[in-house]
Amino acid sequence: MPATPVRQRKLHLGHFAFMRALIQGMDTRASWNRYLRVEGEHSDTATVRKTVAWLRDEFAAAARRWQRHGAARLVLVDIAGAAKEVPALPSLADFIAERGLEDFSEAEQLAAYHAEHGNAAGRGSRRARLIGRQLETLRWLEGLVAEPPRAGDAVSAWLHPDLAARLERADVTTLALLVDRINGLGSGWYRALPAIGMSKATRVVDWLRAHEATIGKTVGAHAMAPRASVSPARLQSIVPPAMAIVPLEKLIVPDSLSGVDGLYRLPQQRCLVTANNDREAILAWVDAKQGSSVKATLAPHRGDDPAPAAPEAFSTGSAVLSHTQRAYLKEAERFFLWAIVQRQKPLSSMTPEDCVAYRDFLADPQPAALWCGPRARPRWSPLWRPFEGPLSASAQRRAIAILKSLYGFLTSHGYLQGNPLAGLALPRKSEAAESTRTLTAAQWAFVQAEVNALAQTSANRRLKFALLLLHETGLRISEAVSARMADLTCAPYGDASGDTTEAWNLVVRKQDGKERSVPFSPTVLAELRSYLASRGLTAVLPAVPGKVSLLGRAVDVTQRASWSPAARAPVDRLAGIGAATLHDQFKSFFNACAQKLRSTDPAGAQTLLKASAHWIRHAHGFRAVASGVGLRVVQQNLGHASPASTARYAAIDALQRTGRNVGVRRVPESTRIDAPTE
């Protein structure tokens, strides 16, 4: 694929076929819909007229490049327009009957016919010769300049300039990238692109399918089908298994790179895990963590099970792997792909030098086009990539720490004879960078005011409740979207005065079977009742069905967007949403807040651009520690597996109190609401 594809528009066989049909007087609608519908609808006469004029100009320019100036003038002649000036001639038989010349000789009949229609007949004959010459010229030009569309061609070389410009603004610059976007996003591939609706999207897909033989990339059958109608098996077939940057379950590993004969492998009889190669060793390590079996989860992806039940489960954590398992598997998958695809070495042959190179790679994954992609692309999508971009210092530390755990496990269980990461220095931890991840009291008040000022749509009511829920409970976003009404418990308790009141708690259940109870404040409870009522549910909590999600789907789609396919489906008021949906809603909200704040507080706007839902969880932990809550209580509420994770809140609080954090502006305790990333 060329690095800089040619953007000048090109001519393909369909352009010539349409013009031949136009010259010969064939049905223009049928010809347009067959060859040039990607340019627009035939009913748009302005588009048709401009396209025809553009084609004539391109044909003439091509003829002039070959010094055929007569041919250039010829193709500019509008035969179809000239035909309208030529009156339709009656047949000789009709002329004879109309004039009553049946009793005249044939010579006299012909003489009379030519006397009346001679000039028109001559013009018709000249027009026929002109058509023949134009068709001959088009055949000559077609052999010289017609090209088939190729994967590396710029979209501007083949599509209407307005359409191409919108695609290029979305970084879809080539036909290959366009096909990947369509296959990667499915039926909604065009929704984020302005002024491109379903009609234009359908024309583009039809055109790509018509030229897929020369483009070399196929638009899948799922491209314009509703997602609910596409089976998981079909989605999994979009990206075939390959020796490339694909999800772990689709990676084809040659025997020479599988680790069967890894440089640092120990004899199989000494190994405490049943792993014959490096991939199986990784899965054994992830399985050792509390949660479900990753081997059983990945088996459908590899094709071992012809009817996979939940092909996306292991990446989304819907019901299979624990949060820890997913985090560990993600880092192991990244390292495994880098070792196989980029380093061309088995995992069990990695040296300390290789590990240093990978540590540097994390700071700048190159080539970025191969390794990096947008967030939250599903694993079946051609747009899936292992990275979003360079990792922060804290993310690099976490990745290396997880890989040290992997190699430590493989070494202690007799799979490898040593840990190449044992002596690797972690990227330097910057307390200064972490401690500046705060919002001032004014910024927090601004955010609260903005969410209260939003239109009272169902999605905005959900956002308002979610903001308070995460801030008051410290839940992870995955825990918040998984919470159900059945997880709320109520127990009476008596205070010092002898009065009895209700204490509400939310039971958070982890996939490893562990539970923790998180206090549910009266403020959150009141907002929950209001939010349930907005969804058309009762606000009397004991009467709400236990399976109702605390964060539900929008129930007013029909009123707000009747054109949307989602509006045609009945609303399930009990159903919940995914973590990605809530994450995106938080990011969009914070971005909108930043845009509004940009003119009066540029620094605060930059802070809000970085903010996400996870910041709210840290806000809870930081405020709890600052208000004197014991670290063990904070650890239990947040569900930290290690006390060290909770202790960081206290460490940064102490640094900011004393002002010893060099290079960090001290933030008053009354204005801090945030904490470092876990």
Side-chain angles (χ1 to χ4, degrees), residues 127-140:
R127 176 177 174 273
R129 291 195 297 272
L130 187 60
I131 288 175
R133 290 175 58 197
Q134 276 196 332
L135 293 176
E136 182 181 351
T137 301
L138 287 185
R139 283 191 292 269
W140 169 70

Side-chain angles (χ1 to χ4, degrees), residues 371-391:
W371 287 100
C372 304
R375 178 185 176 89
R377 294 298 186 226
R379 297 178 70 84
W380 56 260
S381 170
L383 302 180
W384 178 89
R385 296 293 184 272
F387 296 91
E388 295 175 43
L391 299 189

Side-chain angles (χ1 to χ4, degrees), residues 558-619:
T558 302
Q559 293 80 12
R560 291 188 298 106
S562 57
W563 47 265
S564 171
R568 295 192 287 270
V571 177
D572 185 354
R573 300 178 184 273
L574 311 183
I577 58 173
T581 299
L582 186 59
H583 170 85
D584 292 343
Q585 189 175 12
F586 266 101
K587 289 297 294 183
S588 297
F589 170 66
F590 286 135
N591 288 345
C593 290
Q595 296 303 323
K596 193 168 184 179
L597 199 61
R598 188 181 298 277
S599 59
T600 57
D601 184 6
Q606 287 300 314
T607 300
L608 287 173
L609 282 175
K610 300 175 185 177
S612 68
H614 205 65
W615 282 39
I616 311 304
R617 168 174 164 82
H618 291 318

Side-chain angles (χ1 to χ4, degrees), residues 279-415:
R279 177 166 22 203
E280 293 180 3
I282 289 174
L283 302 187
W285 167 67
V286 177
D287 275 343
K289 309 300 174 184
Q290 290 182 330
S292 301
S293 170
V294 67
K295 294 181 180 179
T297 309
L298 290 180
H301 294 273
R302 297 195 302 268
D304 300 340
D305 184 348
E312 287 297 314
F314 103 90
S315 62
T316 62
S318 57
V320 181
L321 300 185
S322 69
H323 178 80
T324 299
Q325 284 179 311
R326 295 196 311 275
Y328 278 42
L329 183 59
K330 180 177 72 173
E331 297 302 339
E333 178 179 55
R334 288 172 167 176
F335 185 53
F336 190 68
L337 285 171
W338 179 83
I340 299 298
V341 178
Q342 191 141 320
R343 206 68 172 179
Q344 295 283 297
K345 294 180 70 174
L347 202 73
S348 51
S349 297
M350 289 286 104
T351 64
E353 292 76 16
D354 294 321
C355 295
V356 169
Y358 182 69
R359 182 191 62 187
D360 297 339
F361 172 79
L362 292 176
D364 186 19
Q366 291 295 333
L370 296 179
W371 287 100
C372 304
R375 178 185 176 89
R377 294 298 186 226
R379 297 178 70 84
W380 56 260
S381 170
L383 302 180
W384 178 89
R385 296 293 184 272
F387 296 91
E388 295 175 43
L391 299 189
S392 65
S394 60
Q396 294 173 44
R397 289 177 59 85
R398 183 166 57 251
I400 298 300
I402 289 175
L403 294 178
K404 282 188 174 183
S405 171
L406 166 62
Y407 273 103
F409 173 88
L410 298 181
T411 302
S412 64
H413 285 70
Y415 183 81

